[in-house]
């Protein structure tokens, strides 16, 4: 059976627990469709809205006389892994049961080592949590010392560090579960970011690792057959939302590098997805990457839609 690592985008989850529980039922159908196709599925997911929501709630409770202790950001990330994983594994298990498929599902609370000297800790860039008006953002920044940026015309969001993933701490546990045929939910939210001292001791830090980059790292470490990034669009496009928009069915490394240089992929949306796929493909013996929508994942695996990223285009000789 082929191993595929799937990175779930925000459209597969939700902005609050009630919305998410409804959305993941649809997400589960897509996952189980791929299981029925004969794949071993390993799932990564984001947590930007969720970890921001948890952090804000805990901070509010701590500072308003509720007797709630201060909760560090890394612990908020762990909480988000737990409840997102719970929703996913419950919905996937229910869908497996409805189809008469006997298969285990497990969530691994996963730590990912980052470099404490990563420049990302100086240049904060990862949006988390809710959207605010400029006035609201300025007020919270003054009170809490948070940094806010305008996010794609939708409002202002808090930003934290987004360092590069270096090592997945629980990798061997994930490997053992995959070998047993378990559907594994791991590197949730990109993994809980931790730094490592010279004696190998770990400590959590305030950051959010990009889930696509951690999923690419996971796919490389597992020697997976494919990395699939599920997002809100069926295919990667150049000239997106312009009159000359063009969908791409395939993309090789040289083309991707050229399109990035020309500025075709937005930093907050498609760029990290394409970069993660490039990283996986460059460092994989024969793997390919696929970017498509959640709804079209099965069709994309059969070549009907989606954008396949390869090292280089196949040459046809007459």
């Amino acid at each position: 059976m082929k191993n595929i690592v799937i990175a779930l985008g925000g459209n597969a989850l939700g902005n609050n627990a009630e919305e998410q529980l409804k959305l993941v039922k649809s997400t589960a159908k897509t996952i189980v469709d791929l299981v029925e196709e004969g794949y071993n599925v390993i799932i990564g997911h984001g947590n930007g809205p969720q970890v921001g929501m948890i952090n804000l709630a805990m901070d509010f409770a701590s500072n308003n006389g509720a007797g709630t202790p201060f909760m560090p950001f890394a612990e908020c990330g762990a909480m988000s892994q737990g409840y997102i994983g719970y929703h996913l594994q419950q919905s996937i298990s229910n869908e497996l049961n409805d189809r008469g498929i006997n298969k285990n599902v497990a969530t691994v609370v996963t730590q990912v080592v980052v470099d404490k000297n990563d420049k990302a800790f100086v240049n904060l860039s990862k949006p988390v949590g809710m959207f605010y008006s400029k006035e609201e953002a300025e007020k919270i920044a003054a009170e809490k010392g948070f940094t806010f940026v305008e996010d794609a015309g939708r409002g202002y969001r808090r930003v934290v560090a987004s360092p590069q993933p270096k090592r997945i701490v629980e990798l061997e546990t994930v490997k053992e579960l995959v070998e047993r045929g378990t559907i594994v939910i791991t590197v949730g939210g990109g993994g809980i970011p931790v730094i490592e001292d010279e004696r190998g001791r770990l400590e959590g830090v305030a950051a959010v690792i990009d889930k696509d980059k951690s999923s690419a790292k996971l796919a490389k470490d597992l020697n997976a057959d494919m990395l699939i990034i599920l997002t809100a669009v069926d295919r990667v496009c150049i000239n997106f939302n312009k009159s000359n928009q063009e969908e791409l069915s395939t993309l090789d490394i040289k083309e991707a590098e050229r399109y990035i240089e020309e500025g075709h992929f937005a930093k907050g949306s498609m760029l990290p997805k394409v970069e993660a796929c490039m990283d996986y493909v460059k460092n994989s013996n024969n793997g390919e990457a696929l970017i498509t929508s959640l709804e079209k994942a099965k069709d994309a695996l059969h070549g009907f839609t989606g954008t396949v990223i390869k090292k280089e285009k196949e040459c046809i000789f007459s």
Side-chain angles (χ1 to χ4, degrees):
M1 295 178 70
K2 290 186 176 182
N3 293 334
I4 56 174
V5 172
I6 295 176
L8 295 175
N11 62 312
L13 303 173
N15 292 315
N16 56 61
E18 292 78 13
E19 179 185 350
Q20 180 171 281
L21 194 54
K22 293 177 182 178
L23 283 174
V24 295
K25 292 178 181 179
S26 175
T27 303
K29 294 182 185 297
T30 295
I31 299 301
V32 178
D33 282 346
L34 302 185
V35 172
E36 283 190 323
E37 292 283 306
Y39 294 101
N40 280 329
V41 179
I42 306 99
I43 303 164
H45 61 79
N47 74 341
Q50 295 86 354
V51 72
M53 175 186 67
I54 292 169
N55 180 247
L56 183 65
M58 298 301 293
D59 193 55
F60 179 85
S62 176
N63 289 296
N64 285 274
T68 303
F70 170 77
M71 193 63 62
F73 201 84
E75 278 73 4
C76 293
M79 290 180 183
S80 73
Q81 275 195 7
Y83 100 77
I84 296 170
Y86 154 63
H87 281 175
L88 283 169
Q89 70 184 41
Q90 182 185 82
S91 296
I92 293 169
S93 294
N94 287 341
E95 186 67 24
L96 289 166
N97 183 64
D98 289 346
R99 302 192 197 187
I101 300 172
N102 183 21
K103 205 168 184 66
N104 293 323
V105 188
T107 299
V108 177
V109 176
T110 313
Q111 304 170 92
V112 174
V113 174
V114 300
D115 184 351
K116 65 180 180 181
N117 296 315
D118 194 307
K119 293 180 180 178
F121 287 106
V122 177
N123 302 311
L124 307 183
S125 63
K126 181 67 175 178
V128 297
M130 299 168 55
F131 288 92
Y132 295 93
S133 68
K134 184 178 180 180
E135 293 74 20
E136 289 171 329
E138 288 175 345
K139 181 180 178 182
I140 296 171
E143 293 174 352
K144 308 296 183 185
F146 296 164
T147 300
F148 286 83
V149 297
E150 199 282 324
D151 188 0
R154 296 175 292 178
Y156 286 77
R157 295 177 78 188
R158 181 187 176 188
V159 287
V160 297
S162 183
Q164 297 293 320
K166 296 296 183 183
R167 181 172 71 85
I168 299 169
V169 177
E170 289 76 21
L171 178 64
E172 293 305 314
T173 300
V174 173
K175 283 182 177 179
E176 290 178 10
L177 290 168
V178 171
E179 287 169 2
R180 295 176 187 173
T182 300
I183 298 171
V184 185
I185 302 157
T186 181
V187 296
I192 303 164
V194 296
I195 55 175
E196 189 171 24
D197 67 17
E198 62 279 358
R199 289 187 285 175
R201 296 182 302 181
L202 304 173
E203 179 185 352
V205 291
V208 174
I209 306 170
D210 183 87
K211 68 98 173 41
D212 296 317
K213 292 180 180 179
S214 288
S215 295
K217 172 68 174 167
L218 178 66
K220 289 185 292 183
D221 290 348
L222 293 176
N223 194 29
D225 296 280
M226 180 173 277
L227 168 66
I228 303 176
I229 295 181
L230 298 181
T231 184
V233 295
D234 295 344
R235 279 181 168 156
V236 177
C237 298
I238 56 174
N239 302 311
F240 185 66
N241 272 344
K242 297 179 181 178
S243 59
N244 58 340
Q245 175 176 306
E246 179 183 348
E247 293 185 350
L248 305 175
S249 59
T250 60
L251 191 60
D252 66 26
I253 298 299
K254 287 184 179 179
E255 287 175 328
E257 290 173 342
R258 176 163 57 88
Y259 291 142
I260 289 172
E261 187 176 341
E262 293 173 355
H264 283 284
F265 307 134
K267 288 184 179 180
S269 56
M270 190 55 71
L271 180 60
K273 296 171 176 56
V274 172
E275 288 179 333
C277 289
M278 291 169 64
D279 179 39
Y280 165 69
V281 170
K282 284 179 180 178
N283 294 283
S284 172
N285 292 328
N286 53 11
E288 295 180 346
L290 172 66
I291 299 176
T292 192
S293 64
L294 174 70
E295 296 78 12
K296 297 293 181 67
K298 183 176 178 180
D299 288 343
L301 276 171
H302 287 286
F304 298 122
T305 189
T307 301
V308 176
I309 296 89
K310 307 178 179 182
K311 283 186 181 177
E312 55 188 18
K313 290 284 179 68
E314 296 177 358
C315 295
I316 301 175
F317 299 96
S318 57

